[in-house]
Each structure stands twice: as structure tokens, then as C-alpha cells.
């Protein structure tokens, strides 16, 4: 009860309603207060008890990471470290963020599904056990299609913000199918983040212009919010904070985060008599 109470009386019948915050609901780094309201008549006899609407967590997201594990990715531990670091930025738990991972190259494998792990510790343990599958081809369109049509169905929740993070180091071998795969994902309101790893191009002195154009197409608009590029696999660690922050501010606000500081002022509740 340390957060205070609120009381409203009705002069017509001398009844009153009193509310007290009884617990806090953890949502990411924020706490939302909720509690119980009780209506009583003039002689303090209980007539009704109810709980105010519980504010849903701003971190109610289903995130699927689409991970390129083809042969050209090297060294793999740098990619794995990036996955572990970005997972630590998410508020994973029931009612908050769920994460699934699919790895692709010539084929696609579900490493783990949405909701399969309910704590960040369990998700991190699963991520540490992801081995590079390899593959002679980089079939990015296939990876996106499987994530859209399968991964979001495996434990996905109604009303959750859908987020897909695509990490790849080369042009897709199934580029003719890429436009439809990306367009369909965006039609299904999946927010797409795309990360271009330029290690393969830089190691061989290849111009990455076509590759970068493809990755920017995958990313949702505007590109400055959803597209990232790094010089090589070891540089992935440099974008962890920026990517995590952009994803955290996605949910709950139409302006994609710009009203977050004002929204937080709505925590708590009060009672008022209405006709």
C-alpha cells in the first residue's frame, strides 16, 4: 500500500469506492502498478470488488531471428556471440518477449521455437548450442518464407508485435523469390530488421553494392531504422545496443518509440464517479 490509495464517494446513496495498489507488474525495465477496487455501501458493507484493467507489457513481442549459417560465414563464434548479446537485451518471459531462431543456407532448420524457452537463461543456453549448419548456397528467400509461414506459427501469440531479424553475409541464391517473400512478410505486419555482414566481400575485395541493395530491400522502411551493416563478423558486437534499443521501442506506440517517455506517465490509476 506504499504507493497510496484513492477513494471516491457517491452522495446519492452514501456509498463509496476505494482502490489500493497491491502489486507491481514488471514490464521490461518498467513497473506498472495495479491493484483492487472495492465498492461499499453507507455502513461499510462490501457490495462489489473488481480489478482495474491490467496494462499489457510494452514488450509483448514475438521475435524470429533468421540466421545465415552458410559456409562463407566465418568465424562462427562471432555470430554466436552476437546472438547471445542481443538476446540479453530482450525481456524474455511469459506475457513479454518470445524468441525463436531459424538457421538457413541451402536448407532451413528450426533451432528453437517461440515460447519453447520461458526465461532468458534458458534461451541463452539454447543459443550457445547452435552450431553452424553450413551450405553451399545462401537461400535467403527460403529462410524468410519459413520464418513467416512456420516459425511465427510455432508458439506465436495473437496480438503480439511480430519482428524478424535477418542476418546474412551474401547475396541470395534464390533472389527471384526474394521480392515475394519479403512483400508477403510485410503484408503480414512483420517488422523486418536486416543486417549485412561484409566480411566475405571485404576479405575478397568484392564490391558489395548489389548485396547491400538486396539487404536494404529486406529491411522495413525507413532504412535508417531497420538496416544495419558491419565490416565483418567480429563487428556485429558494435550494433547490439542500437538494434536492441530500436526493437524495444517498437511495441505499443504508433510513432515507434518517440512517445515512450510520455506514455510511461500513465502508470498507476485513480477513481472517479461518473453517471
Amino acid at each position: 500500500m506504499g504507493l497510496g490509495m484513492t477513494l471516491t464517494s457517491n452522495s446519492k446513496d452514501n456509498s463509496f469506492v476505494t482502490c489500493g495498489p497491491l502489486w507491481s507488474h514488471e514490464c521490461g525495465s518498467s513497473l506498472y502498478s495495479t491493484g483492487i477496487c472495492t465498492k461499499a455501501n453507507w455502513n461499510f458493507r462490501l457490495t462489489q470488488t473488481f480489478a482495474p484493467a491490467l496494462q499489457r507489457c510494452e514488450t509483448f513481442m514475438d521475435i524470429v531471428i533468421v540466421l545465415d549459417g552458410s559456409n562463407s560465414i566465418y568465424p562462427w563464434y562471432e555470430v554466436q556471440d552476437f546472438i547471445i548479446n542481443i538476446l540479453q537485451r530482450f525481456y524474455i518471459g511469459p506475457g513479454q518477449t518470445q524468441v525463436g531462431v531459424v538457421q538457413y543456407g541451402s536448407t532451413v532448420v528450426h533451432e528453437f521455437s517461440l515460447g519453447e524457452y520461458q526465461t532468458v537463461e534458458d534461451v541463452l543456453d539454447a543459443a550457445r548450442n547452435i552450431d553452424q549448419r553450413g551450405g553451399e548456397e545462401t537461400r535467403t528467400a527460403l529462410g524468410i518464407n519459413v520464418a513467416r509461414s512456420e516459425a511465427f506459427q510455432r508458439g506465436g501469440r495473437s496480438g503480439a508485435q511480430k519482428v524478424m531479424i535477418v542476418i546474412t553475409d551474401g547475396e541470395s541464391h534464390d533472389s527471384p523469390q526474394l521480392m515475394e517473400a519479403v512483400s508477403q512478410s510485410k503484408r503480414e505486419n512483420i517488422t523486418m530488421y536486416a543486417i549485412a555482414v561484409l566480411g566475405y566481400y571485404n576479405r575478397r575485395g568484392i564490391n558489395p553494392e548489389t548485396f547491400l541493395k538486396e539487404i536494404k530491400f529486406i529491411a522495413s522502411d525507413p532504412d535508417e531504422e531497420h538496416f544495419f551493416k558491419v565490416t565483418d563478423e567480429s563487428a556485429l558486437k558494435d550494433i547490439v545496443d542500437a538494434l536492441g534499443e530500436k526493437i524495444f521501442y517498437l511495441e505499443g506506440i504508433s510513432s515507434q518509440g518517440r512517445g515512450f517517455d510520455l506514455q510511461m506517465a500513465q502508470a498507476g490509476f485513480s477513481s472517479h464517479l461518473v453517471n
Side-chain angles (χ1 to χ4, degrees):
M1 292 297 195
L3 294 175
M5 297 178 64
T6 178
L7 185 146
T8 302
S9 62
N10 186 345
S11 59
K12 292 181 179 180
D13 59 5
N14 293 323
S15 65
F16 63 90
V17 171
T18 181
C19 302
L22 301 179
W23 61 85
S24 293
H25 184 205
E26 185 177 15
C27 287
S29 59
S30 304
L31 295 176
Y32 292 160
S33 299
T34 188
I36 292 292
C37 292
T38 297
K39 184 178 181 181
N41 63 16
W42 62 274
N43 65 351
F44 292 87
R45 186 179 298 277
L46 174 69
T47 60
Q48 186 180 2
T49 297
F50 57 95
L54 179 64
Q55 191 168 3
R56 196 184 73 188
C57 282
E58 300 304 321
T59 54
F60 190 60
M61 300 184 198
D62 288 343
I63 301 176
V64 174
I65 299 174
V66 182
L67 181 60
D68 180 357
S70 59
N71 295 343
S72 55
I73 293 281
Y74 180 83
W76 179 250
Y77 74 84
E78 297 283 11
V79 178
Q80 199 168 32
D81 286 348
F82 167 75
I83 298 297
I84 291 169
N85 287 332
I86 196 63
L87 289 173
Q88 290 175 321
R89 300 302 194 278
F90 299 149
Y91 297 102
I92 295 171
Q96 300 199 54
T97 300
Q98 295 186 154
V99 180
V101 176
V102 299
Q103 184 181 164
Y104 75 97
S106 302
T107 59
V108 181
V109 175
H110 292 272
E111 297 292 350
F112 55 85
S113 303
L114 294 168
E116 186 173 342
Y117 301 106
Q118 295 292 319
T119 68
V120 66
E121 291 81 9
D122 289 342
V123 171
L124 291 177
D125 285 343
R128 293 186 184 101
N129 290 321
I130 296 177
D131 294 324
Q132 186 174 10
R133 302 282 181 171
E136 297 296 330
E137 293 186 340
T138 303
R139 301 185 65 188
T140 305
L142 177 63
I144 291 173
N145 268 328
V146 170
R148 175 191 60 80
S149 63
E150 297 181 19
F152 281 109
Q153 310 305 316
R154 297 187 176 193
R157 300 163 297 178
S158 175
Q161 171 78 48
K162 295 180 180 180
V163 177
M164 188 187 301
I165 305 172
V166 181
I167 308 165
T168 181
D169 78 331
E171 296 172 49
S172 60
H173 287 82
D174 54 358
S175 55
Q177 289 80 49
L178 191 60
M179 178 174 290
E180 178 59 27
V182 172
S183 298
Q184 183 65 26
S185 296
K186 293 177 180 179
R187 282 195 295 269
E188 295 182 14
N189 295 319
I190 300 174
T191 301
M192 308 279 286
Y193 289 89
I195 303 171
V197 182
L198 299 177
Y200 178 83
Y201 290 83
N202 290 335
R203 287 190 289 268
R204 289 161 176 77
I206 303 172
N207 187 336
E209 182 178 354
T210 304
F211 171 50
L212 292 175
K213 183 178 179 181
E214 181 177 284
I215 303 307
K216 287 181 179 179
F217 172 72
I218 294 173
S220 296
D221 294 328
D223 286 345
E224 58 266 23
E225 295 289 330
H226 303 93
F227 165 76
F228 296 84
K229 65 176 180 179
V230 295
T231 54
D232 55 29
E233 288 78 358
S234 65
L236 281 166
K237 61 180 179 293
D238 298 332
I239 66 169
V240 168
D241 289 338
L243 177 60
E245 182 176 308
K246 290 180 186 298
I247 292 174
F248 175 70
Y249 286 138
L250 256 185
E251 166 67 8
I253 355 181
S254 59
S255 57
Q256 292 193 350
R258 287 180 284 276
F260 182 74
D261 51 343
L262 301 179
Q263 187 176 9
M264 289 308 301
Q266 298 174 9
F269 58 86
S270 59
S271 58
H272 301 274
L273 181 67
V274 297
N275 291 328

